[in-house]
């Protein structure tokens, strides 16, 4: 019985505190006391970050949006503009956050928070980057912004993370280019496939898809040749052989070696007929 009463008491006390807290926050929103709002906004921001509480961060954001214009040109302005940008960032609003970080950097380029603002502003585009088969405008922008951060802070606090994220975005672009070329191959547009794989090999020398690109370029040339008119076949078979040599040069024990050798035997037989 005593425990049940205690539990009810704690519940009632919690509800009472929540009601008081909400009413106090509503009072703050209507208040004209900017200093009081500043203190409350910073407390809510810090608690929201520490507790990973979107509810507190959203409350902080409303207060910050109200008071930020009041502190422009004042000593607290720098801190407030950064808090506003970072609150958007902490809430996962990667569309408003980069705009606010950019504004912060324009207003306070020499701030101690400038590096963090530059990094987080760039990272917003990383999180906005869609899967590889969609439009990659944000991916390109993310690479550009992350590289700008790395150029400015080559030994910065976030250099390792920026390099990692930039690499991930570049691989996404490589995957898109590779999959486009491979789609040409699979749909039997072999001339387009060869051209696309040529471009891919030239544009992405360090890509993890490079070996597959070399093989499918060869395979596209092989299939184009064997499906050609007789008058074109010999020249196209010889081109396929050249592509096979390029594959074996870079990947002498590659993943596709066995498949390549099987089709090369067929090419040798066909060439003997010429």
């Amino acid at each position: 019985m005593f425990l049940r009463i205690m539990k009810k008491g704690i519940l009632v006390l919690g509800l009472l505190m929540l009601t008081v807290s909400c009413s106090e926050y509503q009072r703050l929103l209507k208040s004209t006391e900017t200093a009081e709002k500043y203190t409350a906004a910073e407390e809510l921001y810090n608690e929201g970050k520490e507790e990973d509480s979107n509810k507190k961060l959203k409350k902080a954001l409303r207060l910050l949006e109200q008071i930020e214009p009041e502190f422009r040109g004042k000593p607290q302005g720098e801190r407030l503009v950064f808090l506003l940008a970072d609150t958007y960032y902490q809430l996962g609003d990667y569309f408003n956050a980069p705009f606010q970080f950019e504004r912060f950097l324009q207003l306070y380029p020499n701030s101690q928070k400038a590096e963090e603002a530059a990094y987080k502003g760039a990272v917003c585009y990383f999180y906005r980057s869609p899967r590889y088969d969609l439009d990659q405008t944000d991916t390109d922008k993310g690479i550009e912004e992350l590289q700008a951060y790395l150029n400015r802070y080559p030994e910065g606090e976030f250099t390792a993370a920026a390099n990692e994220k930039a690499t991930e975005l570049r691989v996404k672009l490589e995957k898109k280019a590779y999959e486009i070329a491979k789609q040409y191959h699979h749909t039997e547009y072999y001339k387009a496939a060869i051209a696309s794989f040529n471009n891919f090999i030239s544009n992405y020398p360090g890509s993890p898809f490079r070996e597959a690109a070399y093989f499918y370029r060869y395979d596209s040339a092989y299939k184009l040749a064997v499906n050609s008119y007789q008058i074109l076949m010999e020249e196209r078979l010889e081109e396929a052989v050249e592509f096979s040599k390029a594959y074996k040069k870079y990947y002498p024990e590659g993943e596709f070696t066995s498949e390549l050798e099987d089709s090369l035997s067929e090419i040798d037989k066909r060439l003997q007929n010429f």
Side-chain angles (χ1 to χ4, degrees), residues 167-179:
T167 298
E168 188 173 332
L169 293 181
R170 289 189 186 99
V171 169
K172 186 180 290 186
L173 292 181
E174 292 167 12
K175 184 173 177 62
K176 179 166 187 171
Y178 168 75
E179 290 294 342

Side-chain angles (χ1 to χ4, degrees), residues 5-58:
I5 293 172
M6 283 288 292
K7 286 180 181 179
K8 285 184 178 180
I10 291 170
L11 179 60
V12 170
L13 181 60
L15 290 172
L16 180 62
M17 290 176 66
L18 181 61
T19 302
V20 171
S21 175
C22 289
S23 62
E24 173 64 15
Y25 179 70
Q26 292 302 319
R27 182 193 69 77
L28 271 174
L29 287 176
K30 297 173 184 177
S31 171
T32 58
E33 294 294 326
T34 53
E36 189 178 7
K37 286 184 176 183
Y38 179 104
T39 302
E42 191 158 28
E43 286 178 0
L44 286 165
Y45 164 83
N46 289 329
E47 290 173 5
K49 278 185 67 177
E50 185 177 339
E51 300 168 15
D52 196 20
S53 168
N54 278 3
K55 186 176 180 180
K56 288 187 175 181
L57 287 168
K58 286 178 180 178

Side-chain angles (χ1 to χ4, degrees), residues 68-78 108:
E68 188 269 329
E70 301 293 328
F71 285 91
R72 288 176 187 170
K74 297 179 181 179
Q76 302 95 324
E78 179 181 337
Y108 307 103

